[in-house]
Amino acid sequence: MKKPIFWPQRLPWTYLVTDRALCQGRPLTMIVEQALRGGVKVVQYREKTLPTREMIAEASQLKDLCERYGALFVVNDRIDVALAVAAPAIHLGQEDMPIKHARAILGDDVLIGISASSVEEAQIAERDGADYIGASAVFATPTKEEAPALGLAGLKAICQAVSVPVVAIGGLHLGNVSDVIEAGSAGVAVVSAIMAASDPEAAAQALVQQLEAYRY
Amino acid sequence: MKKPIFWPQRLPWTYLVTDRALCQGRPLTMIVEQALRGGVKVVQYREKTLPTREMIAEASQLKDLCERYGALFVVNDRIDVALAVAAPAIHLGQEDMPIKHARAILGDDVLIGISASSVEEAQIAERDGADYIGASAVFATPTKEEAPALGLAGLKAICQAVSVPVVAIGGLHLGNVSDVIEAGSAGVAVVSAIMAASDPEAAAQALVQQLEAYRY
Ligand code: NI
């Protein structure tokens, strides 16, 4: 039997992706805790440069924080780090480990999210056992050079093409999160809208409140 | 029971650590194959920048090459990559995953090498289950900024302090590998002496021949 997908509070997910470059000297763990206080329910730890040992130490702290706030902790890319801290979820991009390998290593109890930037990628991911899809980039972002943005139409096509939850990511902020939920996504992932905010708790809270209208 | 350590040909190991920066446009896999043809018996894949999926693809090719030449394939740092390709060995630095975590994830059948730059680090690694030690840096190298070099005396102290094999690394070349074997090490690890050589096969062969005198 398939494990139940983590789905907090019957509310669209407010999903934070970390980015140390946006911390402006503030500790990453502090910003994440503020975001959790503000109501974020999924935290994806995305770290590309730290030595593995430091990554594991930080991931362990973030996992503890997420547990304390009843949020899902997701490790981006690094299955070694996910295993070391027994993370409940991993997110893999199209350049990360193929999902079949990852599933064989992690087993069925770890949630696996897969980034998709087209209907085809999303369908392949679902077929290969993805628990959720990260549709990206919905809108163009200055930080990532990628394929052309999906737009709301592209996002909607992905949401209609798969039966697993789709989290929208890319250029999302308070002013457009309602649009992406109405396009069919199960949640909104943000990076700078929270990480770069002068008050991450308030920024998270505003997003969560915006999504209250879509509680089901 | 402890698995037997891989120990090719009762000859001190000639151990190659890869470095893409030294390939000068030549494919990494080509240089490694030339080194294997020259007699290298251990290849450690050290890669810090490629996307995980490309790392896995390259590691898979290198593992196949090593098997074809009867050499041991070792993945540096990345336990996720090691798991994806079912590598027989992993090498962990002091900033990589702690060995206890790694052993719990990898089980007893994967060889684990640990970098040590002091007697204390080597003894802790052995106590924690390391299958071999990489003593570094024996001599100062321009490519790595690290603690002061061990020198032959420091290397000898490490070799005497542990019962697992010690591979020497750091500033080694044809002119000094005999010294490090005489200091007690079970093998010599080189980077630029092979990777940067205009003829990697000849460079490997020269090292292997130099170590023939120490066959036992
Ligand atoms: Ni396992």
Side-chain angles (χ1 to χ4, degrees):
Chain A
M1 202 180 111
K2 194 75 188 157
K3 62 193 158 299
I5 182 83
F6 178 88
W7 200 288
Q9 301 179 332
R10 315 307 291 166
L11 184 71
W13 305 0
T14 303
Y15 185 123
L16 173 65
V17 180
T18 66
D19 184 345
R20 189 180 314 282
L22 300 174
C23 292
Q24 299 160 283
R26 300 166 295 176
L28 182 80
T29 49
M30 189 188 83
I31 296 181
V32 169
E33 181 157 19
Q34 290 167 342
L36 289 165
R37 263 205 299 270
V40 158
K41 285 296 174 190
V42 187
V43 174
Q44 179 178 321
Y45 179 52
R46 186 174 190 280
E47 172 54 52
K48 293 289 184 190
T49 54
L50 281 185
T52 300
R53 188 167 299 193
E54 287 177 49
M55 266 188 222
I56 291 170
E58 192 164 61
S60 177
Q61 290 182 292
L62 294 176
K63 185 195 167 202
D64 288 349
L65 278 175
C66 285
E67 283 174 0
R68 199 174 321 148
Y69 286 88
L72 180 68
F73 178 60
V74 183
V75 172
N76 185 74
D77 178 17
R78 294 293 297 268
I79 284 177
D80 51 346
V81 174
L83 287 169
V85 305
I90 185 120
H91 188 87
L92 301 172
Q94 294 288 328
E95 297 210 300
D96 298 337
M97 191 185 293
I99 182 171
K100 288 181 180 182
H101 275 142
R103 183 61 80 197
I105 291 168
L106 294 169
D108 280 339
D109 292 338
V110 173
L111 297 172
I112 302 182
I114 299 288
S115 293
S117 57
S118 68
V119 164
E120 192 193 2
E121 284 180 356
Q123 288 176 323
I124 290 170
E126 180 178 39
R127 182 200 70 196
D128 289 347
D131 294 293
Y132 68 93
I133 302 294
S136 84
V138 178
F139 301 115
T141 63
T143 50
K144 275 201 172 187
E145 292 170 43
E146 280 188 347
L150 291 164
L152 290 171
L155 172 63
K156 192 170 180 178
I158 289 176
C159 294
Q160 290 177 338
V162 297
S163 59
V164 292
V166 174
V167 177
I169 182 166
L172 304 190
H173 52 77
L174 199 54
N176 59 20
V177 293
S178 295
D179 294 340
V180 305
I181 296 297
E182 284 169 10
S185 67
V188 297
V190 298
V191 191
S192 61
I194 290 177
M195 293 302 296
S198 57
D199 186 342
E201 180 175 347
Q205 205 161 32
L207 284 165
V208 172
Q209 279 167 0
Q210 186 75 11
L211 299 185
E212 269 293 336
Y214 302 94
R215 185 188 284 278
Y216 55 97
Chain B
M1 202 178 112
K2 194 75 187 153
K3 62 193 159 298
I5 181 82
F6 177 89
W7 200 288
Q9 301 179 332
R10 314 308 291 167
L11 184 71
W13 305 358
T14 302
Y15 185 123
L16 173 65
V17 180
T18 66
D19 184 344
R20 189 179 315 280
L22 300 175
C23 293
Q24 298 160 283
R26 300 166 296 175
L28 183 79
T29 49
M30 188 188 82
I31 295 180
V32 169
E33 180 157 18
Q34 290 167 342
L36 288 165
R37 262 204 300 269
V40 158
K41 284 297 175 190
V42 187
V43 174
Q44 178 177 321
Y45 178 52
R46 187 173 190 280
E47 173 53 53
K48 294 290 185 189
T49 54
L50 282 185
T52 300
R53 188 167 299 194
E54 286 178 51
M55 265 188 221
I56 291 170
E58 192 164 61
S60 176
Q61 289 182 293
L62 294 175
K63 184 193 167 205
D64 289 349
L65 278 176
C66 285
E67 283 173 0
R68 199 174 323 147
Y69 287 88
L72 179 68
F73 178 60
V74 183
V75 172
N76 185 73
D77 178 18
R78 294 291 297 268
I79 284 177
D80 52 346
V81 174
L83 287 169
V85 305
I90 185 118
H91 189 86
L92 302 172
Q94 294 288 326
E95 297 208 301
D96 298 336
M97 191 184 294
I99 183 172
K100 288 182 180 181
H101 274 143
R103 183 61 80 196
I105 291 168
L106 294 169
D108 280 339
D109 293 337
V110 173
L111 297 173
I112 302 182
I114 299 288
S115 293
S117 56
S118 68
V119 164
E120 192 193 2
E121 284 179 356
Q123 287 177 323
I124 290 171
E126 181 178 41
R127 183 199 68 197
D128 289 346
D131 294 293
Y132 68 93
I133 302 294
S136 83
V138 177
F139 301 115
T141 64
T143 50
K144 275 202 172 186
E145 291 169 44
E146 281 188 349
L150 290 163
L152 290 171
L155 173 63
K156 192 171 180 178
I158 289 176
C159 293
Q160 290 177 338
V162 296
S163 59
V164 292
V166 174
V167 177
I169 183 166
L172 304 190
H173 52 76
L174 200 55
N176 58 21
V177 293
S178 294
D179 294 339
V180 305
I181 297 296
E182 284 169 10
S185 67
V188 297
V190 298
V191 190
S192 60
I194 290 176
M195 295 301 297
S198 57
D199 186 340
E201 179 175 348
Q205 206 161 32
L207 284 165
V208 171
Q209 279 167 359
Q210 186 75 12
L211 299 185
E212 269 292 337
Y214 302 94
R215 184 187 286 278
Y216 54 97

